[in-house]
């Protein structure tokens, strides 16, 4: 006789598309769990132990709850199962940790917003990485319907999760098995690299400039206020930075989508031909309340891209940062604050990552107006356009002035 089951919508993904064996870029397997079965009518949170379940990586690989495949090198690029029998001996069951899944009773809106996200950090010196090869692409999947949860129950509150104390459960552990609700649960795909290349440090500054049309320096009534953004490469060598189009950089993912703001493909604020910076580049805060009134509250999700699309950026979409020479962009603050009500506002730069290369490689362009082959196949951590500077402006009767 089969034991009763409760279906849990399950999704698995990799936090990054690369596993950096140097350990500088932390790598995790990401799980999303959600209660949305019509038969699930208990209004209390469901609390489960991760030990011995699919969430217990790499133990779950060794006991068959998860599978590991490697991509072959032939034209078909087929996925081939990896022998994980050695993990059965070296991968011990993890410590008991508790995860809480909210009840679906009374839930409104899209269930994707109700997922509990669990990130399981992979030890770069652990059992899993010992069977992986540098340069190979791997895929982890949930093997069957059983999630392997050994202990779970309903709780009247989440204290059991905060304290990892199973005695807080309101009743005995359930005999019902937790199973995934769909035949597939996605996959965690990643490429193993020896070490991710890290960028040199760049310094980004913000300041306000009052440009006076009058020759009388004392006359500031008709001045034009500009926001100046300057970027300086503090290293001894030049780098080439991509400022527009798809930034092929490592970005963090959740169960379904990139983390908020991680996959912003808008032009970067230092792009050569920008007259107005993208809305996602700057953030405006009401100085009195601290409320974000303009900027990147939540980045829109990006659509799918053709996997065969040219990975090389156009030459016009890169900027060379030479040692010690600032790249400066200026923008009319009057245009930036258009539509804001009277008041004082703090302006800050929204941090954005950029793809980059060593040296001045923009001149190594191909015949099609794109960069040469050097632009492909190199994994770098992104150059970050970020600054702790903030400037303050005042809007009065539709006009803008520098706040005192």
């Amino acid at each position: 006789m089969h034991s009763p089951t409760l279906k849990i919508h399950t999704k698995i993904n990799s936090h990054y598309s690369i596993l950096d064996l140097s350990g500088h870029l932390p790598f995790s397997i990401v799980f999303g769990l959600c209660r949305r079965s019509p038969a699930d009518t208990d209004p209390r949170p469901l609390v489960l132990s991760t030990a011995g379940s699919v969430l217990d990586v790499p133990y779950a690989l060794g006991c068959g709850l998860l599978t590991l495949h490697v991509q072959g090198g032939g034209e078909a690029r087929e996925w081939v199962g990896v022998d994980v029998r050695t993990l059965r001996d070296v991968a011990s069951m993890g410590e008991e940790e508790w995860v809480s899944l909210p009840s679906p009773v009374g839930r409104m809106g899209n269930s994707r917003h109700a997922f509990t996200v669990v990130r399981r950090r992979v030890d770069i010196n652990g059992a899993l990485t010992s069977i992986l090869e540098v340069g190979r692409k791997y895929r982890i999947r949930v093997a069957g319907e059983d999630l392997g949860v050994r202990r779970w129950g309903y709780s009247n509150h989440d204290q059991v999760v905060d304290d990892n104390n199973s005695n807080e459960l309101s009743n005995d552990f359930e005999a019902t098995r937790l199973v995934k609700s769909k035949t597939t649960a996605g996959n965690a795909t990643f490429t193993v690299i020896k070490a991710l290349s890290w960028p040199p440090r760049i310094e980004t500054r913000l300041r306000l400039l009052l440009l006076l049309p009058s020759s009388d320096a004392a006359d500031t009534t008709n001045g034009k206020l500009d926001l100046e953004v300057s970027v300086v490469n503090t290293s001894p060598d030049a780098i080439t930075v991509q400022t527009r189009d798809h930034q092929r950089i490592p970005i963090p993912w959740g169960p379904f989508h990139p983390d908020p703001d991680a996959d912003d493909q808008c032009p970067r604020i230092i792009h050569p031909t920008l007259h107005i910076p993208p809305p996602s580049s700057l953030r405006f805060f009401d100085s009195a309340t601290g409320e974000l009134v303009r900027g990147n509250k939540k980045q829109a999700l990006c659509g799918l891209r053709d996997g065969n699309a040219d990975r090389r950026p156009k030459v016009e979409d890169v900027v060379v940062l030479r040692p010690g020479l600032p790249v400066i962009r200026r923008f009319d603050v009057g245009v930036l604050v258009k539509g804001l009500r009277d008041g004082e506002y703090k302006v800050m730069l929204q941090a954005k990552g950029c793809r980059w290369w060593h040296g001045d490689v923009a001149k190594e362009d191909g015949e099609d107006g794109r960069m040469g082959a050097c632009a492909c196949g190199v994994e770098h951590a992104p150059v970050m356009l970020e600054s702790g500077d903030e400037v303050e402006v005042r809007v009065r009767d539709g006009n803008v002035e520098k706040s005192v």
Side-chain angles (χ1 to χ4, degrees), residues 35 37-44 103-105 154:
R35 298 164 59 188
S37 169
D40 190 349
T41 58
D42 197 300
R44 296 169 296 175
S103 172
V105 176
Y154 294 104

Side-chain angles (χ1 to χ4, degrees), residues 351-368:
K352 296 294 177 184
C354 299
R355 188 184 183 191
W356 66 280
W357 298 265
H358 288 285
D360 180 0
V361 296
K363 58 188 177 183
E364 301 177 17
D365 59 296
E367 297 179 354
D368 54 359

Side-chain angles (χ1 to χ4, degrees), residues 223-240:
K224 174 176 170 288
L225 196 62
D226 274 7
L227 174 68
E228 180 183 272
V229 180
S230 63
V231 176
V232 176
N233 174 9
T234 63
S235 76
D237 302 309
I239 61 172
T240 301

Side-chain angles (χ1 to χ4, degrees), residues 199-380:
R201 193 178 75 86
I202 65 172
E203 185 178 85
T204 305
R205 304 302 304 267
L206 298 181
R207 68 168 180 162
L208 292 174
L209 292 178
L210 183 62
L211 306 179
L212 303 176
S214 172
S215 58
D216 183 0
D219 180 12
T220 64
T221 57
N222 297 315
K224 174 176 170 288
L225 196 62
D226 274 7
L227 174 68
E228 180 183 272
V229 180
S230 63
V231 176
V232 176
N233 174 9
T234 63
S235 76
D237 302 309
I239 61 172
T240 301
V241 175
Q242 182 177 335
T243 59
R244 188 169 66 175
D245 204 7
H246 185 58
Q247 299 281 348
R248 295 184 179 272
I249 54 179
I251 58 174
W253 279 70
F256 295 97
H257 303 293
D259 287 355
D261 301 337
D263 197 20
D264 181 2
Q265 297 179 26
C266 293
R268 300 309 189 238
I269 200 165
I270 61 170
H271 186 68
T273 59
L274 278 184
H275 299 292
I276 302 175
S280 62
S281 294
L282 298 169
R283 294 183 295 169
F284 287 75
F285 295 88
D286 188 308
S287 297
T289 66
E291 178 188 2
L292 177 64
V293 296
R294 178 169 293 175
N296 202 21
K297 291 185 178 180
K298 186 175 181 181
Q299 186 61 35
L301 297 175
C302 299
L304 297 176
R305 289 182 58 87
D306 182 2
N308 297 320
D310 199 327
R311 297 171 60 90
R312 302 170 301 146
K314 296 179 180 178
V315 174
E316 63 192 41
D317 292 339
V318 298
V319 169
V320 178
L321 300 181
R322 304 189 186 280
L325 298 179
V327 170
I328 297 175
R329 303 288 182 258
R330 291 173 180 167
F331 306 97
D332 187 345
V333 178
V335 175
L336 300 180
V337 302
K338 188 176 182 179
L340 293 179
R341 64 176 183 270
D342 286 1
E344 294 190 353
Y345 299 93
K346 292 181 180 179
V347 186
M348 302 178 66
L349 187 69
Q350 173 70 50
K352 296 294 177 184
C354 299
R355 188 184 183 191
W356 66 280
W357 298 265
H358 288 285
D360 180 0
V361 296
K363 58 188 177 183
E364 301 177 17
D365 59 296
E367 297 179 354
D368 54 359
R370 294 182 178 271
M371 289 176 57
C374 63
C376 300
V378 180
E379 292 286 358
H380 291 312

